[in-house]
Amino acid sequence: MYCKNCGEQMNDNQAICLKCGVKVEDGNKYCANCGAQLNEGAEVCTACGVAVKKAEDKSKIGGQDKLVMGLIAIFIGGLGIHNFMMGETKKGIIKIVLSVACGIGAILGLIDGIRILMDKYTVDATKFF
Ligand SMILES: [Zn+2]
Ligand SMILES: [Zn+2]
């Protein structure tokens, strides 16, 4: 495996590149498979033929616009709308139940919103919180 940002060879269990400090999945300048330099916007490595995995779009979360999700969660998070929109039905239902039962759904929504905007939120449809 090679660093996609600087082309340095790495062990498979490394989480960040020791040379440039970038996370393993970040960067799109070098092929992760063979370390060859890629043309800008290349979808396949011309050196080894492996498909280039695009770096994750940081402006999106759960397929939705991150900023919009964050704001919805902060302002009307108690309704769980942001959870439903990101496919997290269980989290959404829990928020509605908690909002109706004791009014803390909005607090959970607020926490979600802050975490979304700080890149600390993980979309997980199997979890309740
Ligand atoms: Zn690197
Ligand atoms: Zn390659």
Side-chain angles (χ1 to χ4, degrees):
M1 182 167 72
Y2 295 82
C3 174
K4 288 159 77 177
N5 184 57
C6 73
E8 182 80 357
Q9 188 164 15
M10 298 195 290
N11 298 323
D12 283 345
N13 53 12
Q14 262 177 258
I16 60 163
C17 171
L18 297 177
K19 191 176 165 195
C20 69
V22 160
K23 271 199 296 181
V24 164
E25 286 300 319
D26 286 356
N28 53 6
K29 295 192 199 84
Y30 293 86
C31 174
N33 184 53
C34 73
Q37 199 162 3
L38 297 171
N39 297 323
E40 211 176 317
E43 296 196 349
V44 174
C45 170
T46 49
C48 70
V50 162
V52 177
K53 215 173 116 204
K54 289 249 164 63
E56 214 181 314
D57 188 345
K58 300 263 185 236
S59 69
K60 301 239 180 214
I61 183 163
Q64 305 290 337
D65 190 278
K66 189 188 286 174
L67 185 62
V68 172
M69 285 301 103
L71 293 177
I72 289 177
I74 286 170
F75 291 110
I76 49 169
L79 303 177
I81 292 170
H82 60 291
N83 293 127
F84 290 118
M85 287 179 74
M86 294 189 291
E88 301 175 300
T89 314
K90 288 178 186 169
K91 288 186 193 175
I93 291 170
I94 286 288
K95 288 219 181 38
I96 292 171
V97 170
L98 290 177
S99 290
V100 172
C102 51
I104 66 165
I107 296 166
L108 292 175
L110 180 66
I111 294 167
D112 278 1
I114 291 166
R115 288 169 71 199
I116 288 169
L117 296 177
M118 289 178 72
D119 280 336
K120 302 277 185 227
Y121 191 86
T122 310
V123 176
D124 188 342
T126 65
K127 296 233 167 79
F128 289 95
F129 294 100

